[in-house]
Structures are given as C-alpha cells and as structure tokens.
Amino acid sequence: MVGIVGYGTYVPRMRVKVDEIARVWGKEGARISKGLGINEKAVASFDEDSCSFAVEASRVALKSCGADPKGIGAVFVGSESKPYAVKPTATMVAEAIGATPEMTAADFEFACKAGTAGVQACMGMVSSGMVKYGLAVGSDTAQGRPNDALEYSAGGGAAALIIGKEGTVADIDATYSFTTDTPDFWRRQHAEFPRHAGRFTAEPAYFKHVLSGAKGLLAKTGTKPEDYDFAVFHQPNGKFPLRAATMLGFEETKAMQGLITPFIGNTYSAAAMIGLCSVLDVAKPGQRILVVSYGSGAGSDAFKITVKEGIEAKRPKVAVLNAIEDKEYVDYAGYVKHRRKIKSL
Amino acid sequence: MKNATPLIWRNSAARYNLAGNHCETCGKDYFPERVVCPTCRRRGKLSAKQMPTDGKIYSFTHVHAAPAGFEHETPYYIAIVELENGVHLLTQLVDSPAEKVKIGTNVKMCFRRIFEDGKEGLIAYGFKFKVV
C-alpha cells in the first residue's frame, strides 16, 4: 500500500516573540499571545527562503530513511512564498538532493495546503506505478504585513514526505478532499503581502472545510474519532486546531503532539505536515493518525494514516519538538532586517 | 554583479552537493574539482566524488567590512573547514553562536542563499556550514 517512506522537517533558528511585535505597535502582547495561542514565531534569516528550507527538510527525509534519491521520480514543492515567480523551486530541490535528471518536478500553490496537494499527486503516481518514490514538500517563509494581525502568526518552516510503496513507515489508507471557491485570503500578482478577510477566515473558511474534510474521510473509511490515536489539523494559530478537534469529537489531548504552531507560528504549507512529522516521531506501530490540512481559497485534504513496524529505525535523529528548541531570539528590528521588510533592502 | 548566470549555473553541482573529484592513482580527494591531479600528473586518473558534509573549523575570521552584496550580513564568520577526508574549503558559517566558533569545533554543511544577481537576477544557492 502507498504510504510514507521517510519524513523530515526544517525550522529556522531565529525566533521573535509575539510580545516583542506587540511592543512596537503599542498593543498588549500578553492578550494577543493568549488570543492566538502563539508565544513566538520562527523567522528565516537573511540567507534563507522557502527553497533552502525545502532542501534541508528533503535531505533530512532522505538521510533518515536511506532511500536512493535516484528512485525519486517526482518532486512537488508546495509554497506561497516562492523565491522566483517563474522558475521552479522543485528543480533546485531535486538537483540538491541528487534526484535529477530522469524525473518530473513542479511547484504547487494552494495557500496553506499546497504541500498536502503534492502528497496526493505523489500518491497517484506511486499507486499507478508511474514512479517508485515521489517527494512532496510544504515550505514557506510566510509573509505578514507590518502591524497586520498576520504579523503575529506568520512563521517559517518546511516538511518533506517521501511517498512510496515499499518500506513504508506509515501507510496512507485513504484520502479525501473538500474544495470550494471561498475568498478568505489571497495575494495578487506582484503584491508584497497577502490580504485576508478578517473574521470571515474562520467559520465559512477554516472550520467549514476542515470539518467537512474530516467528516468526509470518516464517512468514506467508516471510522470514528475513537479509532484514531492522534489528530493533526492545519494550524493558523494555536486555537483553531483544538476547536476543530473538539467539534469533531476528538479529545484535545490527541491533537497536542501535532500542535507546533504555538512555538514556531503558522508555517503555512508546512503547518499540518510538520504536525504530522511530530506525531510520527512518537507514534507506535499500529496507531492511527488523522491529518487534515487547510488552504485558503479554499480546501482541505484529509488523510487516514496507520503507523507501520520498523518506523523506529527510520526516524530522523532529532525529533521535531527537540529540533525547535535550538533557537535564538531577535528583536523586532532584527526581524524586519532579516525578512527584508526595510524598504532600502 | 550583473549577468552572473554562467557563474551561478556552472558552480551549482559543487555548491549544492560538494561535488569534487578523486585521484584513483594516489587516492587524494579534491574540492573544487581538478582537471589534472597535481601529484600524479599524467599518471593520475580522476573520477567524480562527493565530499563528506561534516568537518571541523581549521581557521576562521569575523568579517565586519564585507564585499559588495554582503554588506547587510555583517558581522559574519568566514571559515576554512577541514572536511573528514582532509580537504579544506572556504565557507561562511551561519547559525553559530560566537562562543562556539573555535578552531577544532565540529561543523556540518547546510543549504543557504549565497548571493543574488541584483533584484531581478538569479539567486545563487549552495553550501554554508554551521556549528554542530
């Protein structure tokens, strides 16, 4: 059965506290932190972007599972913060991991769920026998306009999943998607920062799609929340995923291992995938995981995943929750310098 | 820098994956790759080889007056790293706290942006090193 052969993540080292951002704009940091359920966010340094993140995460995935990069027949990178408007990130990633030239590659864009869209594309290609392995990466250095609500949450990070049939550490038993045309968040061509529809991003956008995606998958597979040991949801903040879990009938404790946003912010295309990787770091063979991503515009991809024997030997050396402990704080001035938000940079 | 496209593209194999070469006659590794083995000359037989990605700091300096294109990154570390196979290379050190940057400290390769060819030109990516 098609599944995850290897996984890896990358989170940049720099952090800026929500408190520090609030201080600059004369807001109450403690209240914003509590409201969002986010304490601090990960920030890419001057010489990092979604391509360098994607390469780092993919290299971790390959190294930990030991798969031959030449067996990777497809590389899909999902991002909404591409370094080039025209020139695929996927070719640079493929070259850097040694998968080129006999393979296909493309970049995907679907706000925060482009990474899981890549997972589904890889599942199709692997299942049909077109490729041995597919690599799906979600990677973002999320943009937030200074003094916008997004500035407190927009973080950065990447997750890479190698999809294949042989030697899987977790099988993807089923997937289900729920998609509509919902204008909750967008960025126009050449615009520097995205815009969003404020409160409209919650009920008719995030919750409608995440809940429909999860319910659709449960119905399709004939399973109930009790059948799962872990639940991972897209996490634009620290609160939405826990509310989604409760609304679906999952105990909140099942969503905690995959809830990483409070420590690194919303990593957009990588968010649900990093959450899944954190669960794979601890899940035992036989345990079941529900993953539901969400991308504005809008849609959700839901996955039913069962952990396999032998996962212990193929886990990355450092678990997600340990890796994010290696950090260095910067103040707001350092943050705007590194993210090139100063006009003259 | 203007029109650095050939420079960026020709160096990508070395910069992405430390692609160097190896002399099958004397057993020495080279990075960047050599056209001729300087020891064996015409008796040398060179083949492609990827360098190890771990090493240690052989020497370093802290740069405060940077060349064009790197002004906004100061101060930063430049180091000569000795790879596990003895090969030396020049690299930037990133994500490395000052108290850990010492001769002999273990470092590993990471993947970063190196420079960009102006606002609309290519971005050069490749290896930098960080303290383990």
Side-chain angles (χ1 to χ4, degrees):
Chain A
M1 179 176 279
V2 64
I4 299 163
V5 174
Y7 67 95
T9 60
Y10 179 79
V11 176
R13 194 163 173 269
M14 270 195 300
R15 300 283 185 281
V16 62
K17 290 192 183 231
V18 167
D19 239 3
E20 169 65 8
I21 300 171
R23 179 187 66 80
V24 171
W25 299 112
K27 303 255 168 69
E28 275 183 63
R31 196 173 61 84
I32 294 173
S33 247
K34 194 166 170 249
L36 289 172
I38 296 177
N39 305 320
E40 57 199 44
K41 65 172 193 173
V43 178
S45 71
F46 213 87
D47 59 354
E48 291 183 300
D49 58 27
S50 58
C51 173
S52 69
F53 284 4
V55 169
E56 295 279 12
S58 304
R59 283 181 173 168
V60 172
L62 265 175
K63 196 173 176 186
S64 47
C65 73
D68 177 9
K70 291 290 176 208
I72 295 177
V75 174
F76 300 124
V77 179
S79 180
E80 61 171 78
S81 50
K82 281 161 55 77
Y84 292 94
V86 179
K87 183 179 186 309
T89 302
T91 54
M92 296 185 276
V93 172
E95 194 81 48
I97 61 169
T100 51
E102 287 188 36
M103 41 90 62
T104 186
D107 289 357
F108 283 13
E109 192 282 314
F110 194 145
C112 297
K113 84 157 189 82
T116 57
V119 172
Q120 289 182 328
C122 286
M123 286 173 68
M125 293 180 81
V126 168
S127 302
S128 66
M130 277 178 75
V131 299
K132 185 177 180 196
Y133 299 127
L135 172 68
V137 189
S139 180
D140 262 309
T141 50
Q143 311 106 326
R145 189 188 301 275
N147 199 22
D148 183 271
L150 284 182
E151 193 179 26
Y152 298 99
S153 60
L161 299 179
I162 298 170
I163 307 297
K165 270 185 193 167
E166 296 160 26
T168 56
V169 300
D171 282 342
I172 304 175
D173 308 320
T175 182
Y176 172 88
S177 292
F178 185 87
T179 310
T180 70
D181 177 9
T182 306
D184 59 326
F185 171 100
W186 62 90
R187 181 164 65 84
R188 293 277 302 272
Q189 179 82 300
H190 306 305
E192 198 171 343
F193 298 108
R195 284 184 54 183
H196 57 89
R199 281 166 184 257
F200 185 73
T201 57
E203 297 305 331
Y206 179 88
F207 288 104
K208 177 181 171 184
H209 294 83
V210 167
L211 299 184
S212 302
K215 284 176 186 166
L217 184 80
L218 294 177
K220 182 179 174 182
T221 55
T223 52
K224 303 181 290 298
E226 304 86 88
D227 299 327
Y228 294 86
D229 302 281
F230 299 96
V232 181
F233 301 98
H234 174 57
Q235 33 205 277
N237 53 52
K239 292 230 165 134
F240 279 17
L242 294 180
R243 227 169 94 196
T246 311
M247 287 164 92
L248 285 165
F250 286 91
E251 296 156 35
E252 265 193 14
T253 49
K254 290 185 178 175
M256 295 312 283
Q257 180 66 31
L259 184 58
I260 311 297
T261 289
F263 318 113
I264 62 170
N266 179 8
T267 51
Y268 287 54
S269 298
M273 292 169 74
I274 292 181
L276 168 62
C277 292
S278 173
V279 168
L280 291 173
D281 283 337
V282 300
K284 296 183 182 70
Q287 288 192 312
R288 281 178 178 175
I289 309 163
L290 172 79
V291 181
V292 189
S293 66
Y294 171 72
S296 291
S300 275
D301 300 326
F303 300 88
K304 174 176 175 274
I305 295 172
T306 306
V307 178
K308 296 269 301 268
E309 292 288 342
I311 188 171
E312 296 87 352
K314 292 183 176 175
R315 284 181 176 137
K317 268 190 203 157
V318 187
V320 173
L321 284 174
N322 295 335
I324 61 174
E325 282 304 312
D326 179 24
K327 58 189 174 182
E328 176 193 350
Y329 289 102
V330 286
D331 59 8
Y332 191 83
Y335 155 67
V336 294
K337 181 187 108 175
H338 280 282
R339 296 311 304 132
R340 298 171 200 239
K341 291 187 190 207
I342 300 172
K343 265 275 176 261
S344 66
L345 295 181
Chain B
M1 200 177 291
K2 285 273 165 63
N3 199 12
T5 309
L7 173 76
I8 292 171
W9 187 64
R10 284 177 189 152
N11 282 325
S12 63
R15 286 208 178 115
Y16 285 9
N17 284 314
L18 295 179
N21 53 11
H22 169 81
C23 177
E24 288 169 21
T25 310
C26 69
K28 257 188 140 180
D29 291 341
Y30 296 107
F31 182 85
E33 63 177 13
R34 297 266 192 167
V35 180
V36 174
C37 174
T39 310
C40 308
R41 305 281 176 161
R42 75 182 67 169
R43 285 181 295 279
K45 195 176 173 218
L46 291 167
S47 57
K49 184 179 177 185
Q50 195 170 322
M51 298 294 113
T53 55
D54 293 322
K56 60 184 181 193
I57 298 174
Y58 179 79
S59 184
F60 69 92
T61 187
H62 208 199
V63 177
H64 291 273
F70 296 84
E71 306 93 330
H72 303 310
E73 297 182 42
T74 55
Y76 59 86
Y77 289 103
I78 287 278
I80 295 173
V81 164
E82 183 173 306
L83 299 175
E84 282 175 341
N85 59 352
V87 167
H88 286 191
L89 56 79
L90 187 68
T91 180
Q92 233 175 302
L93 288 182
V94 292
D95 282 0
S96 301
E99 67 274 14
K100 289 189 179 167
V101 178
K102 287 182 183 143
I103 289 171
T105 301
N106 289 331
V107 291
K108 66 173 181 182
M109 185 182 79
C110 57
F111 190 84
R112 297 287 177 114
R113 290 163 79 114
I114 298 175
F115 67 91
E116 54 183 42
D117 189 12
K119 286 276 178 215
E120 295 186 0
L122 283 182
I123 303 165
Y125 292 90
F127 67 84
K128 290 187 183 179
F129 278 70
K130 61 164 93 173
V131 164
V132 180

